[in-house]
Amino acid sequence: MKLYNTLTRKKEEFVSMGPGEVKMYVCGPTVYNYFHIGNARPFTVFDTMRRYLEYRGYKVTFVQNFTDIDDKIIAKAIEEGISPREVSEKYIEEYFKDAMALGVKKADIHPKVTENVPEIIAFIQRLIDKGFAYEVEGDVYFDTTRFDEYGKLSKQSLEDLELGARIEVKEVKKNPMDFALWKAQKPGEQSWDSPWGKGRPGWHIECSVMSMKYLGETIDIHAGGQDLIFPHHENEIAQSEACTGHPFARYWVHNGYITINDEKMSKSKGNFFTVRDILKEFDGEVIRFFLLSAQYRNPINFSRELMEQAKNSLERLYNAKSNLEHLLEKVEGLDIRDEEKEILAGFETYKLKFIEAMEDDLNTADAIAAIFELVKEINSNVKGSASRELIQESHELLMELAGVLGLLNKKDEVGVDPEIERLIEERQKARKEKNFGLADQIRDQLKEKGIALKDTPQGVQIIKLN
Ligand SMILES: Nc1ncnc2c1ncn2[C@@H]1O[C@H](COP(=O)(O)OP(=O)(O)OP(=O)(O)O)[C@@H](O)[C@H]1O
Ligand SMILES: [Zn+2]
């Protein structure tokens, strides 16, 4: 696969360090709020990258942290009169609810900063011992002038960066770009004991420590949103490579922004929509489809219109799936015919197209287009007269490709209209009351509306007929 590496500013052939295995770290959320659809983009696209690598046969070890020590968490705790721990625990739980709705798989490990403070302290001590960090009044700073390659990820020189920065009067650090590894406790703040007195870790150090602890000194892929390139990832590289003398990550990948009126969606600007709120109106898979409808580095302007489009497109895929499942129920034991073998071979070309798109820096937009071409062919070639094998194979292919993108996971249709839902409920009620006459009558009524029902042990399955 080709991946655009921010470190080299080039699309490079991805070669994993260990044969057949990938070690991947994604910077996770700061847990003090519900996440917005901008934050949902890295979670979703890197989940898709993981799924695709797994599809290609790699064993992926996937780590995504929770930042559960942060000024914003502390502020929220004070605001709500609860402890920072209560704030972070709550929003970690809420993260999992929304992530599940989006079809984002759990990471192999979701480490928390609060569970890694001793490791962080040991790491900072190593940096001090090696002369890359210094302590002032209970704070510890990384000395950027000691790391020659500072700026290599964001392609800025330390001199230029320093020109643009100033040391505020009350600051105690030696150089303008030096950043905090450890912050002395301020009155009333949560704190941990350390060799430099009571305090807490700075932000950047957590990812270096947790990535190394769970994945080793050098990993394959380190990912996050493009706003993390500087300073977060630049600083992660400086402190990690200063400490070990080895490259920290081989491929640095960054997603583009979800924007509102061409401005980055962000909590601080207030121009955001939480996934929780969008879920009141759209299914999680529709949100996922929307997020994957562009290649991950391109910006996407969030709008209701695009969400509606995503909903309609996804519905077309679900229709194709239901049609095939409906056919499978009707058609019995016909062997595949020669002319059908050709049709099937034709379908395989769309699988190749799909893979080619995903190989090209995870171009999910083109991959989705390939699925639609496949669906078009399936719709015009797989009918009631088809053999069971052709129907089966078509269904499997559609599910295989959609599955790589984390789509078509639901048993039922997305977005069934309320009138139909009401009829289905009425029919259920009639069946419960053993009023089978009425139940059948409603079934016929639904059929007229293009809906077939299938009673399965898991409940009623809704199938849209064409
Ligand atoms: N508008 C956006 N589009 C795409 N990715 C984003 C956007 N905003 C934040 N991200 C990414 O979301 C992930 C989660 O980050 P985090 O929870 O720290 O949010 P954040 O950066 O504080 O959000 P905000 O910028 O809204 O304050 C990071 O990888 C970040 O780069
Ligand atoms: Zn990070």
Side-chain angles (χ1 to χ4, degrees), residues 26-43 46 64 67 70 72 203 223-229 232-233 254-260 263-272 291 296 300:
V26 178
C27 291
T30 309
V31 274
Y32 69 102
N33 213 333
Y34 295 102
F35 63 81
H36 59 66
I37 190 163
N39 305 136
R41 193 175 196 190
F43 308 149
F46 299 122
Q64 184 181 298
T67 298
D70 185 88
K72 288 173 269 186
W203 172 31
Q226 87 187 33
D227 54 335
L228 298 188
I229 297 173
H232 186 52
H233 287 164
H254 295 100
N255 64 270
Y257 293 139
I258 299 296
T259 59
I260 292 266
E263 228 190 332
K264 181 198 175 216
M265 184 184 288
S266 82
K267 285 171 213 142
S268 51
K269 284 194 208 111
N271 61 347
F272 65 92
L291 290 169
Y296 72 90
I300 314 180

Side-chain angles (χ1 to χ4, degrees), residues 34-314:
Y34 295 102
F35 63 81
H36 59 66
I37 190 163
N39 305 136
R41 193 175 196 190
F43 308 149
T44 307
V45 298
F46 299 122
D47 171 76
T48 306
M49 191 174 280
R50 170 198 198 178
R51 286 169 185 261
Y52 180 67
L53 289 165
E54 284 172 349
Y55 176 65
R56 302 296 291 175
Y58 289 100
K59 186 190 172 302
V60 182
T61 311
F62 190 96
V63 177
Q64 184 181 298
N65 67 302
F66 286 116
T67 298
D68 63 348
I69 302 178
D70 185 88
D71 286 342
K72 288 173 269 186
I73 298 174
I74 296 171
K76 181 97 174 188
I78 293 169
E79 190 188 308
E80 299 202 349
I82 52 177
S83 68
R85 191 184 193 90
E86 283 169 306
V87 171
S88 58
E89 290 296 320
K90 171 175 171 24
Y91 288 106
I92 287 173
E93 226 180 284
E94 304 299 348
Y95 165 88
F96 282 122
K97 286 186 201 158
D98 290 341
M100 204 202 286
L102 295 177
V104 171
K105 290 200 289 182
K106 275 200 171 177
D108 294 299
I109 307 154
H110 276 288
K112 297 176 199 154
V113 191
T114 48
E115 290 168 357
N116 285 280
V117 176
E119 286 86 343
I120 290 174
I121 291 173
F123 196 101
I124 296 173
Q125 189 60 56
R126 270 173 81 185
L127 285 172
I128 294 177
D129 294 345
K130 289 188 167 202
F132 286 106
Y134 57 92
E135 187 258 340
V136 200
E137 297 170 16
D139 289 343
V140 181
Y141 294 94
F142 184 88
D143 187 341
T144 44
T145 60
R146 294 271 293 114
F147 185 68
D148 291 344
E149 292 178 302
Y150 194 80
K152 72 173 171 180
L153 183 70
S154 56
K155 310 288 174 220
Q156 310 175 80
S157 72
L158 190 54
E159 294 73 51
D160 288 349
L161 282 166
E162 283 182 343
L163 279 177
R166 268 190 312 169
I167 298 190
E168 303 289 327
V169 189
K170 55 186 182 310
E171 278 189 292
V172 289
K173 57 192 191 182
K174 287 190 206 160
N175 314 293
M177 296 315 293
D178 294 358
F179 56 91
L181 300 168
W182 186 263
K183 295 177 174 180
Q185 181 190 23
K186 295 202 191 93
E189 270 184 12
Q190 61 181 155
S191 69
W192 285 260
D193 288 325
S194 83
W196 321 288
K198 280 186 181 304
R200 63 183 169 102
W203 172 31
H204 316 296
I205 193 71
E206 66 184 71
C207 290
S208 292
V209 171
M210 295 191 279
S211 176
M212 272 188 219
K213 174 170 166 185
Y214 296 102
L215 297 170
E217 286 187 355
T218 304
I219 67 166
D220 292 295
I221 300 173
H222 195 115
Q226 87 187 33
D227 54 335
L228 298 188
I229 297 173
F230 189 86
H232 186 52
H233 287 164
E234 193 73 63
N235 291 352
E236 282 187 31
I237 289 177
Q239 63 208 3
S240 306
E241 300 188 359
C243 186
T244 68
H246 302 302
F248 179 44
R250 289 148 48 90
Y251 300 85
W252 287 87
V253 289
H254 295 100
N255 64 270
Y257 293 139
I258 299 296
T259 59
I260 292 266
N261 301 325
D262 299 318
E263 228 190 332
K264 181 198 175 216
M265 184 184 288
S266 82
K267 285 171 213 142
S268 51
K269 284 194 208 111
N271 61 347
F272 65 92
F273 292 89
T274 63
V275 166
R276 185 60 58 95
D277 275 342
I278 302 170
L279 280 171
K280 289 179 190 149
E281 230 183 307
F282 294 95
D283 189 276
E285 253 190 45
V286 173
I287 303 176
R288 186 176 181 103
F289 187 98
F290 163 81
L291 290 169
L292 297 180
S293 62
Q295 199 270 350
Y296 72 90
R297 288 193 295 122
N298 292 331
I300 314 180
N301 209 19
F302 178 72
S303 69
R304 165 170 294 279
E305 203 186 331
L306 280 182
M307 287 299 295
E308 296 286 351
Q309 263 179 38
K311 181 175 170 215
N312 292 337
S313 303
L314 185 60

Side-chain angles (χ1 to χ4, degrees), residues 25 139 322:
Y25 185 99
D139 289 343
S322 311

Side-chain angles (χ1 to χ4, degrees), residues 363-377:
N363 192 336
T364 49
D366 287 358
I368 288 175
I371 296 183
F372 275 101
E373 286 181 66
L374 170 69
V375 161
K376 204 168 142 225
E377 288 294 306

